[in-house]
Amino acid sequence: MKKILKRSFILISKCIMPLFYDKQYLQGRWFDNAVVGWRWCWRSLLFQKILGSNRHVPFPVSHNNAFGNTKNLKFDTNDLNNFQHHGCYFQTWGNAQIRIGKGSYIAPNVGLITQNHDVHNLDNHIDAKDINIGDNCWIGMNAVILPGVVLGDKTIVGAGAVVTKSFPFGNCVIGGVPAKKIKQLD
């Protein structure tokens, strides 16, 4: 009976959810013969598509996250889990992109910021810069990644870190304010 309910839920979801979300995001490990992704869709439907919080986002997300231009947000659809928890800020203003490598994890309350204010005139912004996060990285809770940062593969960012410079070689643990290398990983 449980198997029949699961199959029915997936079948109904596959028919209805493409009406609300871009079909390219409704596939992969969270959707192919899995229930989790479809639950995200149903949970997000009320806040995101009906009440309008993050309505412009073409994939299911938590209504407690903030998104800029999602066309400038690049990620693997198997990593859709990064957008399901609370408090993340994905600022992709102007032409700046945020690239999140395959298999990377982003904890709640993380800020990815591509553009800052001009310190001489706070009403103005300086030019936006891309953020590149490598494969298999982990960005800890309450971390902030600032414009132009590149994190190499397998970089672990400690909770609460403020990453102001790049760590392109990866395989390390970074943390602090401003972030610095704490440990090299093998």
Side-chain angles (χ1 to χ4, degrees), residues 144-151 155 157 162-168 174 178-181:
V144 177
I145 312 292
L146 293 178
V149 166
V150 175
L151 299 178
T155 299
V157 178
V162 177
V163 185
T164 60
K165 67 178 185 175
S166 295
F167 294 85
I174 63 174
K180 64 182 185 221
K181 189 186 322 186

Side-chain angles (χ1 to χ4, degrees), residues 109-177:
N109 299 320
V110 168
L112 299 162
I113 300 168
T114 59
Q115 189 175 42
N116 273 326
H117 291 272
D118 181 341
V119 295
H120 301 293
N121 182 351
L122 298 180
D123 290 331
N124 294 329
H125 287 90
I126 57 175
D127 291 337
K129 296 179 183 172
D130 293 348
I131 293 174
N132 289 292
I133 298 171
D135 293 344
N136 301 305
C137 292
W138 175 21
I139 313 300
M141 188 171 190
N142 298 319
V144 177
I145 312 292
L146 293 178
V149 166
V150 175
L151 299 178
D153 295 347
K154 298 180 183 172
T155 299
I156 312 277
V157 178
V162 177
V163 185
T164 60
K165 67 178 185 175
S166 295
F167 294 85
F169 300 109
N171 292 305
C172 63
V173 177
I174 63 174
V177 180

